[in-house]
């Protein structure tokens, strides 16, 4: 499911990565002042990276912070009235579900991260009891990206409108399956730039299973 993740670097190292592949970067809003050890959780504002021109991602991208928990364009009530959990979009239906399909076709983004969190049920776990917090990382320890989609909506309690995002999840691979049945695809920058291409392969590459040993899973204290 992945409803918590970490980004333990600031925007400058991210911008440097894009400079290495000659993709210009702009800042759509000021750099946020946040503790780099603070995880992102649903409804938090978090950094996304999206093409300035969706038809030409390598011409330039912008960094901005928007709400994590997508509110679809057709929702006309208050934010609290949208009750569906839309932090993630299932890879199986992201291109067909009314909530996500328009964003999938037109508004893709990257969500940078350095690890993500999955919760599992410890031995003897009882309903409503505390779960085990597991941090999932990768051998290189570098920045990776979720395949995201973003949306504009006009909730009644947001007169200036709202921008929000979700990211793709699919079946868990062999490293994560012991603790959860689903996980988000985690992309390199090159793979992420392919995801941004509206004329590219879309979700198909995200469906490929990664080999065992790609991810490391370690129990972490609850934050």
């Amino acid at each position: 499911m992945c409803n918590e993740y970490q980004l333990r670097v600031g925007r400058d190292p991210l911008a440097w990565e894009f400079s290495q592949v000659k993709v210009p970067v702009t800042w759509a809003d000021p750099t946020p002042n946040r503790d780099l050890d603070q995880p992102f959780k649903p409804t938090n504002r978090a950094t996304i990276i999206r093409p300035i021109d969706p038809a030409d991602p390598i011409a330039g991208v912008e960094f901005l912070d928007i709400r994590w928990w997508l509110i679809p364009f057709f929702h006309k009530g208050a934010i609290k009235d949208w009750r569906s959990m839309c932090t993630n979009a299932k890879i199986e239906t992201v291109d067909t579900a009314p909530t996500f399909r328009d964003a999938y076709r037109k508004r893709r983004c990257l969500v940078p991260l350095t690890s993500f969190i999955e919760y599992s049920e410890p031995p003897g776990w009882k309903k409503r009891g505390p779960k085990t917090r597991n941090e999932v990382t990768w051998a290189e320890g570098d920045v990776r990206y979720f395949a995201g989609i973003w949306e504009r909506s006009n909730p009644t309690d947001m007169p200036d409108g709202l921008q929000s995002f979700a990211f793709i999840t699919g079946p868990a691979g062999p490293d994560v399956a012991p603790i959860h049945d689903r996980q988000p695809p985690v992309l390199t920058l090159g793979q992420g730039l392919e995801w941004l291409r509206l004329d590219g392969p879309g979700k198909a590459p995200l469906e490929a299973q990664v080999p065992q040993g790609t991810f490391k899973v370690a129990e972490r204290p609850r934050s």
Side-chain angles (χ1 to χ4, degrees), residues 4 15 31 50 57 63 83 88 114 164 175 198-199 213 220 223:
E4 187 177 334
T31 301
R50 67 187 181 193
F63 286 65
R83 302 183 184 278
N88 307 152
T114 51
S164 56
D175 297 323
L198 299 182
D199 63 347
R220 295 288 187 253
S223 58

Side-chain angles (χ1 to χ4, degrees), residues 73-94:
F73 70 93
F74 55 76
H75 177 64
K76 303 304 180 185
I79 291 177
K80 65 180 178 60
D81 296 330
W82 181 256
R83 302 183 184 278
S84 296
M85 187 74 166
C86 291
T87 54
N88 307 152
K90 289 185 176 181
I91 196 168
E92 297 89 343
T93 56
V94 65

Side-chain angles (χ1 to χ4, degrees), residues 108-160:
R108 298 183 191 168
C109 65
L110 299 177
V111 183
L113 73 152
T114 51
S115 65
F116 66 91
I117 308 298
E118 294 288 7
Y119 285 83
S120 60
E121 300 171 4
W125 181 80
K126 296 181 179 180
K127 190 175 182 179
R128 299 187 182 279
K131 294 186 176 183
T132 300
R133 184 175 184 267
N134 304 285
E135 185 170 18
V136 182
T137 56
W138 32 94
E140 294 81 359
D142 54 357
V143 174
R144 295 294 175 94
Y145 302 87
F146 290 145
I149 53 177
W150 67 276
E151 188 58 274
R152 292 189 185 94
S153 55
N154 292 283
T156 55
D157 52 347
M158 295 285 290
D160 295 328

Side-chain angles (χ1 to χ4, degrees), residues 159-179:
D160 295 328
L162 174 70
Q163 297 188 78
S164 56
F165 76 93
F167 51 77
I168 310 299
T169 61
D175 297 323
V176 176
I179 61 169

Side-chain angles (χ1 to χ4, degrees), residues 33-75:
N33 180 21
R34 76 173 188 92
D35 182 348
L36 294 181
D37 287 324
Q38 183 69 30
F40 289 109
K41 298 182 180 181
T43 74
N44 289 167
R45 289 175 62 84
T47 298
I48 67 164
I49 303 164
R50 67 187 181 193
I52 296 172
D53 178 0
D56 189 9
I58 64 172
V61 296
E62 63 177 359
F63 286 65
L64 71 161
D65 277 26
I66 64 175
R67 182 185 196 261
W68 177 27
W69 186 322
L70 187 143
I71 306 293
F73 70 93
F74 55 76
H75 177 64

